């Protein structure tokens, strides 16, 4: 029996195997926590999806039972989720109206690097799966964000603006990436889902070549974008988004944009999901805070029945041997409306009793 969290250590499941659920998402459903994440294999190859999305369950958050693979990659070379694609940051939410569990993830088509920048959707009537892949796409084709300026609501004619190649000098705003991608849909990479108290669900993802996040309302059945979205943290290159709600306000943790290498975390607060979002800086304090103690955010979990208790969850990536990636969970402290994260070698849920 495990009785504490030990960031960075191997974390054995009920079979004694290190938990294999990276870039994880969490669902609390009928008294049980579900952890969904990327199943990685050994070596660099483990950064592509060879197995799928792994699911674990727990009642106490320390001890996790292996529930197997919730969504399997396909052997069909024509499938968007064929083995060898990149399938990252899966998140599952429950739709009370349809009684379906809906999974969204970041999908890169096999052999295309990170160019495809798509969102994948899968569904299941059973929380642990198996999930059925529905489709992948780029969100919000032909729809303008509610806060786009008239200049941004233009589809540039070829030759009108410099082509974005990844290397440029000056401001990213010189490219109207929103307009460039309007017809085919907006790029969607690192992502999370957030369900509000009223049941409205939001898809939050790194778009516009990772330069700007989009916050996009989902349809009532959570299967597609509802057609309303906003651009936030314009030109700030944020990734690894995670959101929670505390005392009526929305809190955000994310990272900068340096691939598998850690950087300084970002945080922000807003009174509405649509913004305005106020940046609150790096929530980490103390030694190695400038690299988020080696981690990159993936989720903020409210501890059930525990009012103000939120766990900020991070991956400690090991890209050269992906299966060895570790997890770092830290309690969120709120100081003057700001989130603060202190590294702890070992801790348990009693931090909220004192
Ligand atoms: C990170 C991202 C990961 C993965 C990685 C690939 O920035 O958060 O999910 O996509 O880049 O380099």
């Amino acid at each position: 029996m495990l009785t504490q969290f030990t960031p960075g250590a191997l974390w054995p499941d009920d079979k004694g195997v290190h938990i294999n659920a990276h870039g994880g998402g969490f669902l609390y459903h009928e008294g049980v926590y579900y952890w969904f994440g990327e199943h990685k294999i050994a070596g660099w190859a483990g950064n592509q999806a060879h197995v799928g999305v792994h699911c674990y369950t727990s009642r106490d958050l320390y001890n996790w039972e292996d529930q197997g693979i919730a969504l399997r990659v396909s052997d069909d070379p024509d499938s968007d989720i064929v083995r060898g694609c990149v399938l990252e940051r899966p998140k599952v939410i429950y739709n009370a109206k349809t009684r379906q569990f809906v999974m969204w993830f970041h999908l890169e088509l096999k052999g295309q690097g990170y160019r495809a920048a798509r969102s994948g959707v899968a569904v299941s009537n059973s929380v642990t799966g198996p999930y059925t892949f529905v489709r992948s796409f780029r969100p919000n084709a032909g729809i303008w964000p509610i806060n786009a300026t008239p200049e941004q609501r233009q589809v540039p004619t070829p030759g009108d603006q410099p082509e974005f190649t990844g290397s440029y000098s000056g401001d990213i705003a010189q490219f109207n990436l929103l307009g460039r991608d309007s017809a085919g849909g907006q790029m969607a990479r690192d992502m999370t889902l957030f369900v509000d108290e009223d049941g409205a669900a939001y898809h939050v993802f790194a778009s516009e070549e990772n330069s700007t996040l989009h916050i996009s309302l989902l349809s009532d059945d959570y299967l597609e974008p509802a057609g309303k979205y906003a651009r936030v943290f314009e030109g700030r290159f944020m990734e690894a988004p995670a959101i929670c709600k505390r005392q009526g306000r929305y809190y955000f943790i994310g990272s900068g944009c340096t691939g598998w290498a850690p950087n300084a975390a970002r945080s922000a607060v807003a009174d509405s999901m649509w913004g305005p979002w106020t940046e609150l800086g790096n929530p980490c304090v103390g030694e190695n805070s400038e690299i988020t103690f080696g981690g990159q955010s993936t989720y903020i979990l409210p501890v059930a029945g525990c009012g103000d208790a939120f766990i900020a969850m991070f991956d400690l990536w090991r890209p050269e041997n992906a299966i060895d990636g570790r997890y770092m969970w830290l309690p969120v402290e709120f100081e003057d409306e700001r989130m603060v994260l202190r590294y702890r070698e070992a801790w348990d849920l009693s931090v909220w009793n004192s």
Side-chain angles (χ1 to χ4, degrees):
M1 279 285 283
L2 300 172
T3 54
Q4 53 181 10
F5 305 111
T6 48
L10 287 170
W11 194 340
D13 67 9
D14 60 315
K15 296 168 181 155
V17 178
H18 179 50
I19 292 173
N20 197 341
H22 310 267
F26 291 76
L27 175 69
Y28 182 70
H29 186 71
E30 296 178 347
V32 178
Y33 294 97
Y34 296 83
W35 178 350
F36 298 88
E38 306 158 25
H39 180 107
K40 304 241 189 200
I41 64 168
W44 279 102
N47 300 306
Q48 282 102 45
H50 296 271
V51 178
V53 176
H54 208 132
C55 176
Y56 297 83
T57 52
S58 176
R59 287 182 183 269
D60 65 7
L61 292 171
Y62 310 114
N63 297 281
W64 291 87
E65 201 175 306
D66 182 8
Q67 301 292 344
I69 302 304
L71 173 68
R72 250 181 215 289
V73 294
S74 173
D75 290 318
D76 175 357
D78 293 330
S79 168
D80 288 359
I81 59 163
V82 64
R83 190 183 311 273
C85 69
V86 169
L87 196 167
E88 293 181 336
R89 298 183 178 272
K91 305 286 177 277
V92 173
I93 54 180
Y94 175 63
N95 190 289
K97 287 182 192 136
T98 62
R99 300 196 178 174
Q100 265 190 332
F101 298 89
V102 183
M103 180 190 292
W104 284 65
F105 50 89
H106 165 203
L107 180 73
E108 297 293 345
L109 301 174
K110 184 178 176 180
Q112 297 188 20
Y114 277 80
R115 281 194 296 282
R118 293 165 83 89
S119 301
V121 180
V123 294
S124 176
N125 292 323
S126 152
V127 52
T128 56
Y131 284 75
T132 307
F133 176 63
V134 181
R135 67 180 179 126
S136 85
F137 60 102
R138 282 190 173 189
N140 295 317
I143 300 164
W144 298 112
I146 54 171
N147 58 348
T149 63
E151 295 72 41
Q152 289 161 346
R153 292 168 192 247
Q154 306 284 332
V155 177
T157 36
D160 258 16
Q161 67 171 24
E163 193 189 338
F164 181 86
T165 58
S167 79
Y168 60 95
S169 54
D171 193 341
I172 185 78
Q174 68 190 281
F175 308 97
N176 180 357
L177 300 171
L178 182 85
R180 180 198 71 179
D181 293 339
S182 171
Q186 297 297 326
M187 298 177 82
R189 292 203 183 109
D190 278 14
M191 56 148 283
T192 194
L193 299 179
F194 174 76
V195 183
D196 211 338
E197 288 148 305
D198 60 2
Y202 300 84
H203 177 208
V204 179
F205 53 94
S207 194
E208 303 180 37
E209 306 285 357
N210 293 343
S211 65
T212 297
L213 283 183
H214 288 187
I215 296 186
S216 175
L217 183 68
L218 296 186
S219 56
D220 282 350
D221 60 11
Y222 298 168
L223 295 179
E224 55 192 3
K228 178 179 181 183
Y229 71 110
R231 306 173 73 232
V232 298
F233 308 126
E234 182 178 17
R236 293 284 292 134
F237 287 90
M238 293 203 191
E239 289 193 319
I243 285 180
C244 68
K245 189 178 189 181
R246 173 190 180 248
Q247 297 176 4
R249 308 189 85 194
Y250 302 86
Y251 286 86
F252 168 92
I253 296 179
S255 74
C257 209
T258 54
W260 300 117
N263 54 55
R266 316 278 181 90
S267 68
V269 65
D271 291 324
S272 156
M273 279 295 281
W274 302 119
W277 286 86
T278 306
E279 284 198 49
L280 300 173
N282 183 352
C284 301
V285 296
E287 201 184 339
N288 292 325
S289 57
E290 72 289 352
I291 52 162
T292 313
F293 317 118
Q296 188 181 31
S297 43
T298 189
Y299 205 78
I300 310 172
L301 180 71
V303 180
C306 208
D308 235 12
F310 295 87
I311 303 177
M313 298 164 155
F314 300 82
D315 290 284
L316 302 168
W317 303 116
R318 301 273 189 276
E320 66 291 343
N321 186 22
I323 194 173
D324 192 38
R326 309 295 173 91
Y327 311 101
M328 176 175 74
W329 293 8
L330 296 172
V332 180
E333 298 169 60
F334 289 91
E335 292 178 3
D336 302 328
E337 295 295 294
R338 200 176 154 250
M339 284 183 285
V340 173
L341 300 172
R342 292 186 172 81
Y343 187 74
R344 297 168 193 242
E345 271 173 25
W347 64 282
D348 62 39
L349 298 174
S350 71
V351 296
W352 283 291
N353 301 338
S354 46

